[in-house]
Amino acid sequence: MSDLSRLTGVGPKREKVLAEAGIATLRDLIYHLPRRYIDRTKFTPIADLAVGKDAIFPATVRSIAMAQMRMMVTVEDGSGTVELVFFNGVQFLRSRFTEGQRLLVAGVPSFFRELQMVHPEFQSIKDDQEIKGEVLPRYPLTMDMSEAHVEHKFLQKIALEALQGFTFSDALQENHRRELGLLPEADLLRSLHKPATAEEIPALRKQLKVRELLPLSLRLEAIKAERRKVGKAWPESAKLKAALREGLPFTLTAGQSESVSAITACQAEPGQFCGLLMGDVGSGKTVVAMLAAANVLEAGGQVALMAPTEILASQHHQTLAPFLAKAGIRAGLLTGDTPKADREAMMADLQSGSLNFLVGTHALYSGDVRFRNLGLAIIDEQHRFGVEQRKALGAKGGNPDILYMSATPIPRTLAQTVFGDLETFVLKEKPAGRLPVKTRLVPPEKRKDMLGFLLKEAVGGNQVFWVVPQIGAKSPTAKAAKAAAEDPDIFVPANKRPEEDIASVDKIKTELAAFSKEWKVGIVHGKLPPEKKEAALAAFRKGELNVLVATTVIEVGVDVPQANLMVIEGPDRFGLAQLHQLRGRTGRGSAQAWCFLAMPNGDWPVETFDRLAGFAETTDGFKIAEIDLRSRGTGNLEGTDQSGYGGLRFTDLIEDFELTQEIRRYAEAQVAGAGNVPMKP
Ligand code: ADP
Ligand code: MG
């Protein structure tokens, strides 16, 4: 039983519903804040109603009409009339209206032949006096909450009840609170649940954001200040870098050269340097890191390169070792599989300094791996940039510089706030000779044309990778979608794990078989036995299959560079970052690659079209990350969920960018003034 059960009206059923919506403790409840408010102190005359704009007004019932499953109640307020439409429970609802009755109506007008309000909230009023002066909170609700009658009023009531007698250990220090003129936490939250006026809400919201941003900024500034005191300056290497550059089979792109110079300048500064090098898959990050390593190696420091998997680690070792050897640097490989004797020999060489470059997996983190003079740790394909992890690495002795490499682009706004203690470097262009993938949205009526095009290509020897999304979080059920359309405060909970849509894989195979006998179609999904999966993949690699239909479950392992065509079913169910990663599997060769986003039947919300059209127009991973950030918010961004900052719930990094900078400057000044501000975790 949770603390919530102590609240009035919260029994086992509601407790369960709340928990499923992520509200399991009193604190969760108190921080489950209204997403918007309805100002009952100001009414909208019916004549001024506008589609999509919240309105509340008193009106008089003029007529009531019943159809089979529908009831229309026409109301009037002197400025005009509007129809209230109800679909469910019509028989029951009928008894609640009478002609001439005075009502308070609240909702969002929509348009169907004429302006109307579908399922508005309403309440009977006896005396117009009783409806004056309240600001109504509108909370995010799940379907289940709404079904259990856990709605706005109730949430407000129990939140206020929970606030009474809840002792806050305000994470914000008193001096900051006063300096910034912020309310005590409890007062702020009480006001957010029950504002006295609508006018005070923006300022309250801003305080909430400041409270969220400040600890983060203080922590990052303190870490930065700490880093300036430790670590070494690594001057630019004169000879080794030139020698390594000589040995390259290609010339650096402009972006690579710039990144090398910028990183070199940072390395030369006193203190510990922490950087993040971002660039799409194939943009050539490795060579940049290699040249940065030269600065350290020439000055007698050691370099560690960490990769997330053994395959990647040994790939790196294979390409780098011969190349480094030519310049007189020996590179070792350490993974979990390295035999004990080899491992011990390597450890001795690291200590003596005869081994200066070590490639490996997370095995490099283990306690017995000690360097004589570790100057740079390069961390490849990192999707987690936790502050704690950087600290752990620093503790490995010598406070080495750290350079992350990542193919998941992080928007500037996010990089400067959440990862504000990292210097960022970006590889924008790819090495010459690669054509950008052409991306098209395919509406259902164009699907036949798409199939025709793909068949022609497939018969001509091209191969198609056909991706089917997982079912789950981002695919609202019909029922949930309908409810969400009717009430803007209902959202579909994202706490169900996505499942594989195996049925869709089979359906597409059938569709393709019916379309033509000329192509060979294989399928792969997570439920297939491993040997069947392998067989299908192998056949596709060898070109025996023209089309491979697959769920995203297998996405990670599949690498078929010659498959130059891709179809993505249900693209609306993917985050853009994920779409970008998927699309990146094509366009590896010199031929023109195509990516088709196959839109299913149905009415598409404008935002979905905009989002996907924006994606189709650009192959710039950073632009895509910005679009993604805009449409999904920071909470859902890939790469940040485990970043150690706990997520920003209230701050919108794009809208509130100015505020984030203001807070950062404040934190900087505070840390500079106080030397080191002790922070609560
Ligand atoms: P990623 O950024 O995905 O880690 P890599 O560093 O593995 O990319 O580089 C991808 C491929 O491009 C490698 O085969 C690499 O040798 C090659 N490459 C890197 N830089 C250039 C360049 N300037 N010109 C041509 N090929 C390059
Ligand atoms: Mg790489």
mmCIF file of all heavy atoms in Angstrom, residues 81-124:
data_model
loop_
_atom_site.group_PDB
_atom_site.id
_atom_site.type_symbol
_atom_site.label_atom_id
_atom_site.label_comp_id
_atom_site.label_asym_id
_atom_site.label_seq_id
_atom_site.Cartn_x
_atom_site.Cartn_y
_atom_site.Cartn_z
ATOM 1 N N THR A 81 -25.468 31.289 -30.799
ATOM 2 C CA THR A 81 -25.810 29.944 -30.350
ATOM 3 C C THR A 81 -24.727 28.977 -30.815
ATOM 4 O O THR A 81 -24.038 29.226 -31.799
ATOM 5 C CB THR A 81 -27.149 29.452 -30.949
ATOM 6 O OG1 THR A 81 -27.025 29.433 -32.371
ATOM 7 C CG2 THR A 81 -28.315 30.333 -30.548
ATOM 8 N N VAL A 82 -24.612 27.872 -30.077
ATOM 9 C CA VAL A 82 -23.688 26.820 -30.493
ATOM 10 C C VAL A 82 -24.271 25.476 -30.075
ATOM 11 O O VAL A 82 -25.032 25.385 -29.111
ATOM 12 C CB VAL A 82 -22.274 27.041 -29.889
ATOM 13 C CG1 VAL A 82 -22.273 26.843 -28.383
ATOM 14 C CG2 VAL A 82 -21.248 26.112 -30.543
ATOM 15 N N GLU A 83 -23.909 24.432 -30.839
ATOM 16 C CA GLU A 83 -24.440 23.106 -30.570
ATOM 17 C C GLU A 83 -23.433 22.287 -29.761
ATOM 18 O O GLU A 83 -22.249 22.228 -30.109
ATOM 19 C CB GLU A 83 -24.681 22.414 -31.911
ATOM 20 C CG GLU A 83 -25.764 21.377 -31.861
ATOM 21 C CD GLU A 83 -26.224 21.020 -33.267
ATOM 22 O OE1 GLU A 83 -25.450 20.338 -33.968
ATOM 23 O OE2 GLU A 83 -27.339 21.429 -33.645
ATOM 24 N N LEU A 84 -23.921 21.689 -28.661
ATOM 25 C CA LEU A 84 -23.087 20.761 -27.894
ATOM 26 C C LEU A 84 -23.459 19.364 -28.357
ATOM 27 O O LEU A 84 -24.641 19.021 -28.406
ATOM 28 C CB LEU A 84 -23.353 20.901 -26.397
ATOM 29 C CG LEU A 84 -23.451 22.329 -25.832
ATOM 30 C CD1 LEU A 84 -23.705 22.271 -24.320
ATOM 31 C CD2 LEU A 84 -22.203 23.147 -26.135
ATOM 32 N N VAL A 85 -22.479 18.548 -28.700
ATOM 33 C CA VAL A 85 -22.768 17.224 -29.261
ATOM 34 C C VAL A 85 -22.243 16.140 -28.325
ATOM 35 O O VAL A 85 -21.118 16.223 -27.836
ATOM 36 C CB VAL A 85 -22.109 17.068 -30.649
ATOM 37 C CG1 VAL A 85 -22.492 15.742 -31.283
ATOM 38 C CG2 VAL A 85 -22.508 18.223 -31.552
ATOM 39 N N PHE A 86 -23.102 15.121 -28.096
ATOM 40 C CA PHE A 86 -22.713 14.003 -27.229
ATOM 41 C C PHE A 86 -22.946 12.701 -27.965
ATOM 42 O O PHE A 86 -23.961 12.536 -28.643
ATOM 43 C CB PHE A 86 -23.534 14.022 -25.940
ATOM 44 C CG PHE A 86 -23.323 15.283 -25.136
ATOM 45 C CD1 PHE A 86 -24.118 16.412 -25.361
ATOM 46 C CD2 PHE A 86 -22.340 15.352 -24.161
ATOM 47 C CE1 PHE A 86 -23.920 17.573 -24.638
ATOM 48 C CE2 PHE A 86 -22.138 16.517 -23.427
ATOM 49 C CZ PHE A 86 -22.934 17.632 -23.667
ATOM 50 N N PHE A 87 -22.019 11.760 -27.844
ATOM 51 C CA PHE A 87 -22.174 10.480 -28.538
ATOM 52 C C PHE A 87 -22.461 9.309 -27.602
ATOM 53 O O PHE A 87 -23.192 8.413 -27.939
ATOM 54 C CB PHE A 87 -20.910 10.160 -29.339
ATOM 55 C CG PHE A 87 -20.697 11.079 -30.496
ATOM 56 C CD1 PHE A 87 -19.732 12.071 -30.446
ATOM 57 C CD2 PHE A 87 -21.483 10.963 -31.638
ATOM 58 C CE1 PHE A 87 -19.544 12.924 -31.514
ATOM 59 C CE2 PHE A 87 -21.302 11.814 -32.714
ATOM 60 C CZ PHE A 87 -20.333 12.805 -32.649
ATOM 61 N N ASN A 88 -21.839 9.297 -26.456
ATOM 62 C CA ASN A 88 -21.968 8.115 -25.592
ATOM 63 C C ASN A 88 -22.937 8.383 -24.440
ATOM 64 O O ASN A 88 -23.097 9.523 -24.019
ATOM 65 C CB ASN A 88 -20.611 7.727 -25.021
ATOM 66 C CG ASN A 88 -19.589 7.549 -26.118
ATOM 67 O OD1 ASN A 88 -19.898 6.963 -27.157
ATOM 68 N ND2 ASN A 88 -18.402 8.090 -25.903
ATOM 69 N N GLY A 89 -23.531 7.327 -23.959
ATOM 70 C CA GLY A 89 -24.388 7.450 -22.783
ATOM 71 C C GLY A 89 -25.500 8.464 -22.977
ATOM 72 O O GLY A 89 -25.903 9.160 -22.042
ATOM 73 N N VAL A 90 -25.986 8.539 -24.200
ATOM 74 C CA VAL A 90 -26.941 9.572 -24.550
ATOM 75 C C VAL A 90 -28.225 9.472 -23.715
ATOM 76 O O VAL A 90 -28.753 10.477 -23.237
ATOM 77 C CB VAL A 90 -27.253 9.503 -26.062
ATOM 78 C CG1 VAL A 90 -28.424 10.376 -26.399
ATOM 79 C CG2 VAL A 90 -26.028 9.916 -26.855
ATOM 80 N N GLN A 91 -28.672 8.235 -23.497
ATOM 81 C CA GLN A 91 -29.916 8.055 -22.747
ATOM 82 C C GLN A 91 -29.792 8.629 -21.333
ATOM 83 O O GLN A 91 -30.664 9.330 -20.844
ATOM 84 C CB GLN A 91 -30.291 6.563 -22.661
ATOM 85 C CG GLN A 91 -30.724 5.970 -23.985
ATOM 86 C CD GLN A 91 -31.784 6.831 -24.682
ATOM 87 O OE1 GLN A 91 -32.656 7.426 -24.043
ATOM 88 N NE2 GLN A 91 -31.691 6.915 -26.010
ATOM 89 N N PHE A 92 -28.656 8.330 -20.738
ATOM 90 C CA PHE A 92 -28.402 8.811 -19.386
ATOM 91 C C PHE A 92 -28.258 10.331 -19.362
ATOM 92 O O PHE A 92 -28.808 11.028 -18.520
ATOM 93 C CB PHE A 92 -27.132 8.131 -18.848
ATOM 94 C CG PHE A 92 -26.526 8.838 -17.681
ATOM 95 C CD1 PHE A 92 -27.117 8.748 -16.417
ATOM 96 C CD2 PHE A 92 -25.376 9.603 -17.825
ATOM 97 C CE1 PHE A 92 -26.558 9.405 -15.342
ATOM 98 C CE2 PHE A 92 -24.821 10.266 -16.755
ATOM 99 C CZ PHE A 92 -25.414 10.170 -15.509
ATOM 100 N N LEU A 93 -27.554 10.854 -20.356
ATOM 101 C CA LEU A 93 -27.296 12.293 -20.398
ATOM 102 C C LEU A 93 -28.574 13.099 -20.623
ATOM 103 O O LEU A 93 -28.716 14.208 -20.122
ATOM 104 C CB LEU A 93 -26.303 12.620 -21.517
ATOM 105 C CG LEU A 93 -24.818 12.495 -21.174
ATOM 106 C CD1 LEU A 93 -23.979 12.692 -22.430
ATOM 107 C CD2 LEU A 93 -24.412 13.509 -20.109
ATOM 108 N N ARG A 94 -29.494 12.502 -21.386
ATOM 109 C CA ARG A 94 -30.719 13.215 -21.755
ATOM 110 C C ARG A 94 -31.417 13.810 -20.531
ATOM 111 O O ARG A 94 -31.899 14.937 -20.543
ATOM 112 C CB ARG A 94 -31.676 12.241 -22.491
ATOM 113 C CG ARG A 94 -33.044 12.804 -22.838
ATOM 114 C CD ARG A 94 -32.915 13.922 -23.883
ATOM 115 N NE ARG A 94 -34.165 14.649 -24.073
ATOM 116 C CZ ARG A 94 -34.570 15.655 -23.314
ATOM 117 N NH1 ARG A 94 -33.831 16.053 -22.289
ATOM 118 N NH2 ARG A 94 -35.703 16.292 -23.558
ATOM 119 N N SER A 95 -31.387 13.033 -19.448
ATOM 120 C CA SER A 95 -32.108 13.445 -18.248
ATOM 121 C C SER A 95 -31.461 14.647 -17.567
ATOM 122 O O SER A 95 -32.035 15.241 -16.669
ATOM 123 C CB SER A 95 -32.169 12.275 -17.264
ATOM 124 O OG SER A 95 -30.845 11.963 -16.879
ATOM 125 N N ARG A 96 -30.265 15.002 -18.005
ATOM 126 C CA ARG A 96 -29.574 16.078 -17.309
ATOM 127 C C ARG A 96 -29.807 17.456 -17.944
ATOM 128 O O ARG A 96 -29.313 18.448 -17.462
ATOM 129 C CB ARG A 96 -28.076 15.777 -17.235
ATOM 130 C CG ARG A 96 -27.834 14.504 -16.430
ATOM 131 C CD ARG A 96 -26.396 14.237 -16.168
ATOM 132 N NE ARG A 96 -25.705 15.350 -15.525
ATOM 133 C CZ ARG A 96 -24.392 15.391 -15.348
ATOM 134 N NH1 ARG A 96 -23.668 14.386 -15.770
ATOM 135 N NH2 ARG A 96 -23.823 16.426 -14.761
ATOM 136 N N PHE A 97 -30.546 17.467 -19.064
ATOM 137 C CA PHE A 97 -30.812 18.755 -19.718
ATOM 138 C C PHE A 97 -32.305 19.055 -19.763
ATOM 139 O O PHE A 97 -33.119 18.150 -19.982
ATOM 140 C CB PHE A 97 -30.286 18.725 -21.162
ATOM 141 C CG PHE A 97 -28.790 18.632 -21.243
ATOM 142 C CD1 PHE A 97 -28.176 17.401 -21.502
ATOM 143 C CD2 PHE A 97 -27.990 19.741 -21.061
ATOM 144 C CE1 PHE A 97 -26.797 17.295 -21.579
ATOM 145 C CE2 PHE A 97 -26.605 19.643 -21.137
ATOM 146 C CZ PHE A 97 -26.005 18.423 -21.398
ATOM 147 N N THR A 98 -32.640 20.318 -19.557
ATOM 148 C CA THR A 98 -34.023 20.765 -19.795
ATOM 149 C C THR A 98 -33.961 22.105 -20.509
ATOM 150 O O THR A 98 -32.988 22.849 -20.357
ATOM 151 C CB THR A 98 -34.794 20.964 -18.467
ATOM 152 O OG1 THR A 98 -33.994 21.789 -17.609
ATOM 153 C CG2 THR A 98 -35.117 19.671 -17.793
ATOM 154 N N GLU A 99 -34.977 22.386 -21.286
ATOM 155 C CA GLU A 99 -34.998 23.675 -21.985
ATOM 156 C C GLU A 99 -35.074 24.815 -20.979
ATOM 157 O O GLU A 99 -35.767 24.711 -19.973
ATOM 158 C CB GLU A 99 -36.172 23.719 -22.961
ATOM 159 C CG GLU A 99 -35.790 23.066 -24.283
ATOM 160 C CD GLU A 99 -36.959 22.991 -25.246
ATOM 161 O OE1 GLU A 99 -37.814 23.899 -25.210
ATOM 162 O OE2 GLU A 99 -37.001 22.007 -26.020
ATOM 163 N N GLY A 100 -34.372 25.868 -21.267
ATOM 164 C CA GLY A 100 -34.372 27.034 -20.382
ATOM 165 C C GLY A 100 -33.372 26.939 -19.252
ATOM 166 O O GLY A 100 -33.155 27.896 -18.511
ATOM 167 N N GLN A 101 -32.733 25.757 -19.136
ATOM 168 C CA GLN A 101 -31.771 25.534 -18.054
ATOM 169 C C GLN A 101 -30.526 26.404 -18.247
ATOM 170 O O GLN A 101 -30.078 26.624 -19.366
ATOM 171 C CB GLN A 101 -31.377 24.049 -18.093
ATOM 172 C CG GLN A 101 -30.352 23.619 -17.101
ATOM 173 C CD GLN A 101 -29.925 22.166 -17.399
ATOM 174 O OE1 GLN A 101 -30.164 21.658 -18.501
ATOM 175 N NE2 GLN A 101 -29.319 21.535 -16.420
ATOM 176 N N ARG A 102 -29.956 26.865 -17.136
ATOM 177 C CA ARG A 102 -28.747 27.676 -17.169
ATOM 178 C C ARG A 102 -27.552 26.739 -16.976
ATOM 179 O O ARG A 102 -27.532 25.917 -16.047
ATOM 180 C CB ARG A 102 -28.862 28.660 -16.010
ATOM 181 C CG ARG A 102 -28.037 29.891 -16.079
ATOM 182 C CD ARG A 102 -28.482 30.924 -17.059
ATOM 183 N NE ARG A 102 -27.502 32.002 -16.976
ATOM 184 C CZ ARG A 102 -26.828 32.503 -18.005
ATOM 185 N NH1 ARG A 102 -27.058 32.090 -19.225
ATOM 186 N NH2 ARG A 102 -25.948 33.455 -17.807
ATOM 187 N N LEU A 103 -26.550 26.825 -17.857
ATOM 188 C CA LEU A 103 -25.401 25.917 -17.813
ATOM 189 C C LEU A 103 -24.089 26.692 -17.818
ATOM 190 O O LEU A 103 -24.011 27.778 -18.391
ATOM 191 C CB LEU A 103 -25.349 25.051 -19.080
ATOM 192 C CG LEU A 103 -26.299 23.898 -19.283
ATOM 193 C CD1 LEU A 103 -25.945 23.214 -20.606
ATOM 194 C CD2 LEU A 103 -26.194 22.895 -18.146
ATOM 195 N N LEU A 104 -23.079 26.065 -17.221
ATOM 196 C CA LEU A 104 -21.725 26.559 -17.449
ATOM 197 C C LEU A 104 -21.062 25.525 -18.361
ATOM 198 O O LEU A 104 -21.015 24.334 -18.033
ATOM 199 C CB LEU A 104 -20.957 26.675 -16.133
ATOM 200 C CG LEU A 104 -19.555 27.258 -16.292
ATOM 201 C CD1 LEU A 104 -19.606 28.710 -16.743
ATOM 202 C CD2 LEU A 104 -18.781 27.161 -14.981
ATOM 203 N N VAL A 105 -20.594 25.955 -19.521
ATOM 204 C CA VAL A 105 -20.039 25.041 -20.514
ATOM 205 C C VAL A 105 -18.546 25.311 -20.658
ATOM 206 O O VAL A 105 -18.129 26.464 -20.721
ATOM 207 C CB VAL A 105 -20.730 25.261 -21.886
ATOM 208 C CG1 VAL A 105 -20.178 24.268 -22.918
ATOM 209 C CG2 VAL A 105 -22.230 25.135 -21.752
ATOM 210 N N ALA A 106 -17.758 24.222 -20.710
ATOM 211 C CA ALA A 106 -16.316 24.402 -20.910
ATOM 212 C C ALA A 106 -15.816 23.361 -21.891
ATOM 213 O O ALA A 106 -16.196 22.191 -21.823
ATOM 214 C CB ALA A 106 -15.567 24.263 -19.588
ATOM 215 N N GLY A 107 -14.989 23.758 -22.828
ATOM 216 C CA GLY A 107 -14.444 22.800 -23.773
ATOM 217 C C GLY A 107 -13.743 23.486 -24.917
ATOM 218 O O GLY A 107 -13.493 24.684 -24.875
ATOM 219 N N VAL A 108 -13.440 22.672 -25.932
ATOM 220 C CA VAL A 108 -12.702 23.183 -27.078
ATOM 221 C C VAL A 108 -13.599 23.067 -28.309
ATOM 222 O O VAL A 108 -13.972 21.959 -28.688
ATOM 223 C CB VAL A 108 -11.409 22.363 -27.299
ATOM 224 C CG1 VAL A 108 -10.585 22.967 -28.422
ATOM 225 C CG2 VAL A 108 -10.595 22.300 -26.022
ATOM 226 N N PRO A 109 -13.970 24.167 -28.939
ATOM 227 C CA PRO A 109 -14.821 24.093 -30.120
ATOM 228 C C PRO A 109 -14.113 23.395 -31.274
ATOM 229 O O PRO A 109 -12.896 23.499 -31.419
ATOM 230 C CB PRO A 109 -15.078 25.569 -30.472
ATOM 231 C CG PRO A 109 -14.777 26.331 -29.232
ATOM 232 C CD PRO A 109 -13.718 25.559 -28.526
ATOM 233 N N SER A 110 -14.911 22.646 -32.070
ATOM 234 C CA SER A 110 -14.365 22.029 -33.267
ATOM 235 C C SER A 110 -15.313 22.342 -34.418
ATOM 236 O O SER A 110 -16.329 23.002 -34.221
ATOM 237 C CB SER A 110 -14.241 20.522 -33.070
ATOM 238 O OG SER A 110 -15.484 20.004 -32.671
ATOM 239 N N PHE A 111 -14.981 21.876 -35.592
ATOM 240 C CA PHE A 111 -15.797 22.226 -36.742
ATOM 241 C C PHE A 111 -16.247 20.978 -37.475
ATOM 242 O O PHE A 111 -15.446 20.139 -37.865
ATOM 243 C CB PHE A 111 -14.999 23.123 -37.694
ATOM 244 C CG PHE A 111 -15.878 23.836 -38.679
ATOM 245 C CD1 PHE A 111 -16.461 25.053 -38.344
ATOM 246 C CD2 PHE A 111 -16.143 23.280 -39.924
ATOM 247 C CE1 PHE A 111 -17.287 25.707 -39.241
ATOM 248 C CE2 PHE A 111 -16.974 23.937 -40.823
ATOM 249 C CZ PHE A 111 -17.545 25.153 -40.487
ATOM 250 N N PHE A 112 -17.567 20.823 -37.627
ATOM 251 C CA PHE A 112 -18.108 19.776 -38.470
ATOM 252 C C PHE A 112 -19.380 20.357 -39.084
ATOM 253 O O PHE A 112 -20.386 20.499 -38.414
ATOM 254 C CB PHE A 112 -18.424 18.513 -37.652
ATOM 255 C CG PHE A 112 -18.967 17.390 -38.483
ATOM 256 C CD1 PHE A 112 -18.135 16.691 -39.351
ATOM 257 C CD2 PHE A 112 -20.308 17.057 -38.422
ATOM 258 C CE1 PHE A 112 -18.635 15.663 -40.127
ATOM 259 C CE2 PHE A 112 -20.805 16.020 -39.191
ATOM 260 C CZ PHE A 112 -19.981 15.317 -40.051
ATOM 261 N N ARG A 113 -19.292 20.776 -40.299
ATOM 262 C CA ARG A 113 -20.354 21.544 -40.977
ATOM 263 C C ARG A 113 -20.510 22.933 -40.361
ATOM 264 O O ARG A 113 -20.645 23.903 -41.072
ATOM 265 C CB ARG A 113 -21.702 20.814 -40.963
ATOM 266 C CG ARG A 113 -21.646 19.562 -41.819
ATOM 267 C CD ARG A 113 -23.024 19.059 -42.175
ATOM 268 N NE ARG A 113 -22.940 17.648 -42.473
ATOM 269 C CZ ARG A 113 -23.459 16.689 -41.739
ATOM 270 N NH1 ARG A 113 -24.169 16.991 -40.658
ATOM 271 N NH2 ARG A 113 -23.298 15.438 -42.069
ATOM 272 N N GLU A 114 -20.526 22.985 -39.066
ATOM 273 C CA GLU A 114 -20.518 24.289 -38.411
ATOM 274 C C GLU A 114 -19.771 24.147 -37.078
ATOM 275 O O GLU A 114 -19.404 23.043 -36.685
ATOM 276 C CB GLU A 114 -21.942 24.782 -38.173
ATOM 277 C CG GLU A 114 -22.740 23.805 -37.325
ATOM 278 C CD GLU A 114 -24.186 24.245 -37.149
ATOM 279 O OE1 GLU A 114 -24.484 25.410 -37.433
ATOM 280 O OE2 GLU A 114 -24.996 23.413 -36.711
ATOM 281 N N LEU A 115 -19.569 25.286 -36.421
ATOM 282 C CA LEU A 115 -18.851 25.262 -35.151
ATOM 283 C C LEU A 115 -19.659 24.464 -34.126
ATOM 284 O O LEU A 115 -20.878 24.650 -34.006
ATOM 285 C CB LEU A 115 -18.660 26.705 -34.667
ATOM 286 C CG LEU A 115 -17.439 26.937 -33.778
ATOM 287 C CD1 LEU A 115 -16.167 26.630 -34.536
ATOM 288 C CD2 LEU A 115 -17.429 28.377 -33.288
ATOM 289 N N GLN A 116 -19.027 23.568 -33.406
ATOM 290 C CA GLN A 116 -19.739 22.799 -32.397
ATOM 291 C C GLN A 116 -18.783 22.453 -31.262
ATOM 292 O O GLN A 116 -17.576 22.698 -31.342
ATOM 293 C CB GLN A 116 -20.277 21.509 -33.020
ATOM 294 C CG GLN A 116 -19.173 20.603 -33.542
ATOM 295 C CD GLN A 116 -19.698 19.290 -34.097
ATOM 296 O OE1 GLN A 116 -20.843 19.199 -34.508
ATOM 297 N NE2 GLN A 116 -18.865 18.283 -34.085
ATOM 298 N N MET A 117 -19.335 21.893 -30.190
ATOM 299 C CA MET A 117 -18.474 21.429 -29.115
ATOM 300 C C MET A 117 -18.830 19.984 -28.816
ATOM 301 O O MET A 117 -19.966 19.680 -28.481
ATOM 302 C CB MET A 117 -18.644 22.312 -27.874
ATOM 303 C CG MET A 117 -18.107 23.715 -28.118
ATOM 304 S SD MET A 117 -18.424 24.850 -26.764
ATOM 305 C CE MET A 117 -17.056 24.487 -25.682
ATOM 306 N N VAL A 118 -17.846 19.102 -28.983
ATOM 307 C CA VAL A 118 -18.087 17.680 -28.764
ATOM 308 C C VAL A 118 -17.695 17.339 -27.332
ATOM 309 O O VAL A 118 -16.581 17.645 -26.906
ATOM 310 C CB VAL A 118 -17.280 16.831 -29.763
ATOM 311 C CG1 VAL A 118 -17.538 15.347 -29.532
ATOM 312 C CG2 VAL A 118 -17.635 17.221 -31.194
ATOM 313 N N HIS A 119 -18.616 16.704 -26.635
ATOM 314 C CA HIS A 119 -18.391 16.302 -25.243
ATOM 315 C C HIS A 119 -17.763 17.403 -24.393
ATOM 316 O O HIS A 119 -16.699 17.194 -23.795
ATOM 317 C CB HIS A 119 -17.531 15.047 -25.180
ATOM 318 C CG HIS A 119 -18.288 13.819 -25.583
ATOM 319 N ND1 HIS A 119 -18.356 12.705 -24.815
ATOM 320 C CD2 HIS A 119 -19.033 13.560 -26.668
ATOM 321 C CE1 HIS A 119 -19.100 11.789 -25.424
ATOM 322 N NE2 HIS A 119 -19.522 12.290 -26.554
ATOM 323 N N PRO A 120 -18.371 18.570 -24.349
ATOM 324 C CA PRO A 120 -17.833 19.592 -23.462
ATOM 325 C C PRO A 120 -18.133 19.216 -22.017
ATOM 326 O O PRO A 120 -18.965 18.338 -21.753
ATOM 327 C CB PRO A 120 -18.616 20.838 -23.850
ATOM 328 C CG PRO A 120 -19.938 20.305 -24.301
ATOM 329 C CD PRO A 120 -19.649 18.982 -24.970
ATOM 330 N N GLU A 121 -17.445 19.844 -21.113
ATOM 331 C CA GLU A 121 -17.837 19.711 -19.714
ATOM 332 C C GLU A 121 -18.973 20.684 -19.473
ATOM 333 O O GLU A 121 -19.026 21.746 -20.086
ATOM 334 C CB GLU A 121 -16.675 20.085 -18.812
ATOM 335 C CG GLU A 121 -15.574 19.060 -18.822
ATOM 336 C CD GLU A 121 -14.468 19.482 -17.890
ATOM 337 O OE1 GLU A 121 -14.757 19.807 -16.715
ATOM 338 O OE2 GLU A 121 -13.312 19.500 -18.338
ATOM 339 N N PHE A 122 -19.882 20.303 -18.604
ATOM 340 C CA PHE A 122 -20.966 21.245 -18.330
ATOM 341 C C PHE A 122 -21.423 21.057 -16.904
ATOM 342 O O PHE A 122 -21.232 19.994 -16.312
ATOM 343 C CB PHE A 122 -22.131 21.016 -19.295
ATOM 344 C CG PHE A 122 -22.739 19.652 -19.151
ATOM 345 C CD1 PHE A 122 -23.825 19.445 -18.302
ATOM 346 C CD2 PHE A 122 -22.210 18.566 -19.843
ATOM 347 C CE1 PHE A 122 -24.370 18.177 -18.151
ATOM 348 C CE2 PHE A 122 -22.753 17.303 -19.691
ATOM 349 C CZ PHE A 122 -23.839 17.109 -18.856
ATOM 350 N N GLN A 123 -21.980 22.090 -16.366
ATOM 351 C CA GLN A 123 -22.559 21.944 -15.036
ATOM 352 C C GLN A 123 -23.724 22.901 -14.938
ATOM 353 O O GLN A 123 -23.721 23.981 -15.530
ATOM 354 C CB GLN A 123 -21.465 22.174 -13.974
ATOM 355 C CG GLN A 123 -21.607 23.402 -13.171
ATOM 356 C CD GLN A 123 -20.349 23.655 -12.326
ATOM 357 O OE1 GLN A 123 -19.238 23.206 -12.617
ATOM 358 N NE2 GLN A 123 -20.540 24.423 -11.273
ATOM 359 N N SER A 124 -24.734 22.447 -14.235
ATOM 360 C CA SER A 124 -25.944 23.229 -14.094
ATOM 361 C C SER A 124 -25.691 24.339 -13.081
ATOM 362 O O SER A 124 -25.073 24.102 -12.052
ATOM 363 C CB SER A 124 -27.054 22.292 -13.606
ATOM 364 O OG SER A 124 -28.285 22.912 -13.767
#
